[in-house]
Amino acid sequence: MPLLPRKTALLLSSLAAALAFAGCAPKDASAPTTVKIGNLASITGKDASFGQSSTKATRLAIDEINAAGGVLGQQIELIFEDTQSKPGEAAMVVKKLVTRDHVVALIGEVISSRSIEAASVAQTLKIPMLTPTATNPAVTATGDYIFRACFIDPFQGKVLAKFARDDLGSKRAAVLTSTSSSYSTGLSKVFVEQYTEAGGEVVADQKFAEGDKDFKAALTAIRAANPDVIFVPAYYTEASLIAKQARELGITVPLLGGDGWEAPELFEIAGDAVEGCYYSTHFSADSTDPKLQAFVARYRARYDGATPDCMAALGYDAAYLLVDALRRAGSTDPVKIKDALAATRGFEGITGRIDMGPDRNASKPATILKIQNRKPVYVKTIAP
Amino acid sequence: MTELLQQLINGLSLGAIYALIALGYTMIYGVLRFINFAHSEVFMVGAFVGCYIGRLAGSVTWWSGFGALGAAMLVCGILGFIIEKIAYRPLRGAPVLNVLITAIGVSLFLQYGGQLVFGATPRTFPELFPVRHFRLGGLDVSSNQVIVMIVTVVLLVALQLIVKHTRLGTAMRAVALNPQAAQLVGINTGTVFSFTFVIGSALAGAGGVLYAMNYPSIDPLMGVMPGLKAFVAAILGGIGSIPGAALGGLLLGSAETLVSGSQFSTYKDAIAFGILILILLLRPSGLLGRPGVEKV
Amino acid sequence: MPFPRQHIALLAGIAAALTLSAFGGAFNAYHLDIAMTVGIAIILAVSLNLINGHTGLFSLGHAGFMAIGAYLSATITLFVGPQLTGPAPSAFATQAIFFTALLTGGLCAAFAGILIGLPSLRLKGDYLALVTLGFGEIVRVIFQNIEPLGGALGLYGIHPLTNFAWIYSGVALTIFTVSCLVNSTYGRGFLATHDNEIAARSIGLNTTRYKITAFAVGAFFAGIAGGLFAHLRMTIDPRGFDFSRSIEIILMVILGGMGNTLGVILAAVVLTVLPEVLRPVAEYRMIIYSLLLVILMIARPQGLLNFRPKKAARI
């Protein structure tokens, strides 16, 4: 009998060949002619929808910039890596992008917890990283190479608490938080603090977990507490179901949400259930701003008519913001890029004017929208 | 009191769906003796089929609803047949754990294939049945909740009839008891396995449509959590036992709802699993399972 | 007796790990990272192999043990360590604290392993699997709700203390311990418990003790692996220790051939490197991976890397 059955030998040798192939994957010989920017997001797994939106828009922005002549006289090469919605993956991806692909800067990650993971590696390797959408304050606290293109949870939580108390005149608020999402717990913590401080009372504090689709139990408890407003710091996937089930249980008070609500699917799934509800966001896809409308049109044209959500808008802005910094730095030296990013003032993005604050957080206004006739309607802008 | 009753209604309607998925799990386990991890993905496919048919139908009538339900059961039945033929049949006689890996492989394949084909973004599930809300005293019930419970009961009874009163059902029970002996008395075990898979998968498909009807946002990973819960329900009730699966599903749904309506809601899943572990410690073969005697 | 040879192998393994680690700077950071991830995967797979492969129990909760090790050791190096050593500890003190942290994490995981091993007195097969699965989920939910440990966001800012030497010493120690246990006279009991519990009991073996030992030792090394993982990634997140992580480890064990240490090690290497190789096809990566799993299982039901013909009787 031969040492190995033929099938096994074949299998092993093909595996070995695959490994060897990966080991000596062709290195890009044309390195000096392009500026390499790394992009990381989850396009598979649980958070795929957020990552896909964001990275599609980033790709769109970079292609536009390249068509307009690129940056520093060179074309931009956007190297994308998938983080698979898996903790532990982001750190490895950053190492790969920096040490194998030699990128000069990074755009990503989309979710806060993985952004912190990526940030700690980017900071060690001293490569500037700009996260489009991670709103947890801890992300940029990692170090001086880490920036973000969006506002942070404490700001948004404060804005919403103030709005609920002053503009809606509510006295009793209920909160429904996802315990498995740091976005949700972060936002709800600030809201509860600020709302109580402003003289309101939080009458019910209910929780749910990732993957839940039945919120009737929590909502029944909330109904019993009889609140004036229900704060739902969740993504649109959950918020739409929460709204629907709340109405089925006969709850009529308005629901209030954050930027996670911003997506066309919210109105599709929830239908009439979100009528009269409010949320804060970075931008409004129905805004009349010509720059924004142009982006929405181009995004739709390129991706089969899909309407961009706030993840996409921020992914688009992050690309332009980084390229703007590259131009001002006049070099691809990471230190200069970092300094240029930190010096960003008055950058006009589609999600509003961005000033980079001292903590490397974009300081920009939050827009509050009200849902009427299945459409978000502008209510007010709250400046930082 | 009203709140408690309302929670109980919520719990039962959630539990009914768990029960429906658990039925498929338990059947496949009872006959083939392995955990079909791909079951939750068949459930997901069922929801997507329902979604497409619902969109095609356009108007919302009782016919469109039952049409979508039937189509999902049919497609999932065929899918189950194919999965069994391609992925599991070649492994007949292999250790159970190998089949388990294949099941995980099929499950991952359907999940990630789904993300590629359907896209990762959640989709809206159209309304299939005319929706009405009833208010009795302080209790709110929607027609969808009622439909879920009725369909579950009908399918449960139908399944019980098939298993207890048809030739194929008798063959299934024989194979479940002892596959070798069943083969010796001339039962075509291959047919029985295929049939079990078709029925189990069709039930998962029905579960998918009913679940999506109540929670109308569907995505390729939607099956994971309900699948896990249904698996728990199946074991809780005593795996292999059809009434057990139904009981397990209802119990799990109610327990979960009662906990998540209380102040311990953060620990909802931990408590659900904690109760489960306790029950298993007291009754190692599940609530209605027969304690098996292992022989040398 | 094979003992001396195994001791030499252990020493050689640790020496090799230290030597290679000294030249760590020469490697590309990404490749080094893969090598370290592979090491952690080997510890996890070999330790689970003791429970699932050698002893024939079916545990779905290995990620839970890993989480306990990760969180406890990170807590020690983050919060307890600085209080013991002051603000500027010496290199030796840092490493000593790290070692203590790893050990504590491992021991606590082992304790949890014993707790989980106890129900196995009464439960078998899928029911035991369910208890371990429930245990893993409970651990995850609890860590998710402990605010001082970061809650849903996870614990971050952990010191990057893990290096090549720590990991591969851990690998050597794990392989050494498991193979010594299994290949000793005492250890034949694990195989006996696996092959036929009733027969084992009837010749007077205390199968319960074997089961609990398997859980304790397996969980101990999973805890160590968790600690190494935490100090490699610098961030841990409850979601990183969910059901799918346990499944990943089980895949390595089954693909390597249950109870075959060498095969399991090779499977751990292949299954960690394969997704990296498939990186260029990001969107199709998991599809190819899952298809390969099914094909491999059909083509090689005894495990990908198990070349030994199935032994009929091993008692």
Side-chain angles (χ1 to χ4, degrees), chain B residues 29 35 37 86 91 97-98 100-101 105 109 112 116 235 239 266-267 273 276 281-282 284-285 294 296, chain C residues 58 119 122-124 126-127 130 133-134 138 145 198 243 247 251 254 258 284 286-287 290-291 297-298 301:
Chain B
Y29 183 92
I35 306 164
F37 269 106
I86 294 177
L91 278 168
L97 287 179
N98 291 43
L100 191 76
I101 292 268
F109 178 74
Y112 287 90
L116 208 64
I235 295 195
I239 199 150
T266 354
Y267 290 96
F273 278 109
L276 178 90
L281 288 181
L282 297 174
S285 47
E294 201 186 346
V296 181
Chain C
F58 188 19
R122 282 176 66 98
L123 299 174
K124 22 174 120 56
D126 300 303
Y127 295 98
L130 189 72
L133 172 119
I138 290 174
N145 286 300
I198 291 172
F243 178 55
I247 292 286
L251 284 180
I254 303 186
M258 305 275 284
Y284 303 92
M286 285 309 288
I287 298 182
S290 55
L291 270 182
M297 272 298 117
I298 293 173

Side-chain angles (χ1 to χ4, degrees), chain A residues 20-358:
Chain A
F21 173 74
C24 56
K27 287 232 170 80
D28 202 349
S30 60
T33 60
T34 58
V35 176
K36 289 183 177 175
I37 295 179
N39 181 206
L40 58 151
S42 295
I43 57 163
T44 54
K46 285 177 228 164
D47 306 321
S49 64
F50 310 126
Q52 284 184 0
S53 290
S54 168
T55 189
K56 274 177 180 171
T58 305
R59 162 85 43 204
L60 176 70
I62 296 291
D63 287 351
E64 283 172 21
I65 295 164
N66 277 340
V71 66
L72 306 174
Q74 295 175 352
Q75 290 283 298
I76 299 170
E77 190 184 342
L78 189 71
I79 303 171
F80 176 78
E81 284 297 345
D82 179 17
T83 51
Q84 294 180 289
S85 313
K86 225 166 79 182
E89 196 76 5
M92 194 183 250
V93 159
V94 171
K95 278 186 189 158
K96 191 231 163 208
L97 285 170
V98 174
T99 66
R100 293 270 299 163
D101 301 321
H102 306 287
V103 299
V104 296
L106 295 160
I107 299 178
E109 231 278 337
V110 173
I111 303 294
S112 289
S113 51
R114 277 196 301 280
S115 295
I116 293 176
E117 191 184 315
S120 47
V121 180
Q123 180 65 30
T124 327
L125 296 170
K126 303 224 174 307
I127 292 291
M129 175 181 134
L130 174 67
T131 164
T133 53
T135 48
N136 195 290
V139 176
T140 46
T142 311
D144 58 345
Y145 280 84
I146 316 301
F147 299 85
R148 83 176 95 219
C150 52
F151 46 57
I152 51 174
D153 291 337
F155 168 66
Q156 195 178 189
K158 210 165 123 187
V159 164
L160 287 165
K162 224 168 110 58
F163 180 77
R165 189 75 190 87
D166 301 345
D167 297 65
L168 295 179
S170 67
K171 291 195 186 69
R172 301 159 63 81
V175 181
L176 184 53
T177 319
S178 163
T179 48
S180 46
S181 146
S182 58
Y183 164 75
S184 191
T185 49
L187 213 49
S188 116
K189 202 173 132 215
V190 180
F191 180 88
V192 170
E193 278 167 17
Q194 295 287 332
Y195 191 78
T196 332
E197 205 169 284
E201 191 192 349
V202 176
V203 290
D205 190 0
Q206 287 291 321
K207 317 273 194 222
F208 63 93
E210 181 172 33
D212 280 0
K213 296 225 164 146
D214 189 287
F215 306 98
K216 283 198 171 147
L219 286 167
T220 304
I222 286 178
R223 186 176 72 174
N226 196 21
D228 301 331
V229 63
I230 304 172
F231 181 49
V232 184
Y235 289 111
Y236 64 90
T237 40
E238 289 142 354
S240 48
L241 290 178
I242 290 173
K244 220 176 154 75
Q245 291 170 24
R247 301 304 178 232
E248 276 172 24
L249 285 172
I251 299 175
T252 52
V253 298
L255 269 56
L256 186 64
D259 57 337
W261 278 33
E262 175 68 59
E265 281 85 359
L266 179 77
F267 314 108
E268 251 181 63
I269 299 170
D272 289 334
V274 283
E275 280 299 299
C277 294
Y278 300 86
Y279 66 94
S280 71
T281 184
H282 312 266
F283 89 117
S284 157
D286 295 306
S287 148
T288 47
D289 180 1
K291 211 160 140 193
L292 185 59
Q293 282 311 315
F295 159 67
V296 173
R298 278 196 299 271
Y299 188 92
R300 280 197 176 128
R302 175 145 174 189
Y303 299 113
D304 304 327
T307 307
D309 53 17
C310 83
M311 297 281 169
L314 287 169
Y316 186 80
D317 263 1
Y320 270 101
L321 185 62
L322 183 63
V323 168
D324 176 63
L326 270 165
R327 278 204 187 102
R328 281 184 286 115
S331 139
T332 55
D333 176 32
V335 179
K336 288 191 178 140
I337 300 174
K338 173 201 80 169
D339 292 338
L341 266 175
T344 304
R345 297 287 178 276
F347 171 82
E348 289 294 339
I350 52 167
T351 61
R353 193 189 129 104
I354 297 175
D355 293 314
M356 202 51 80

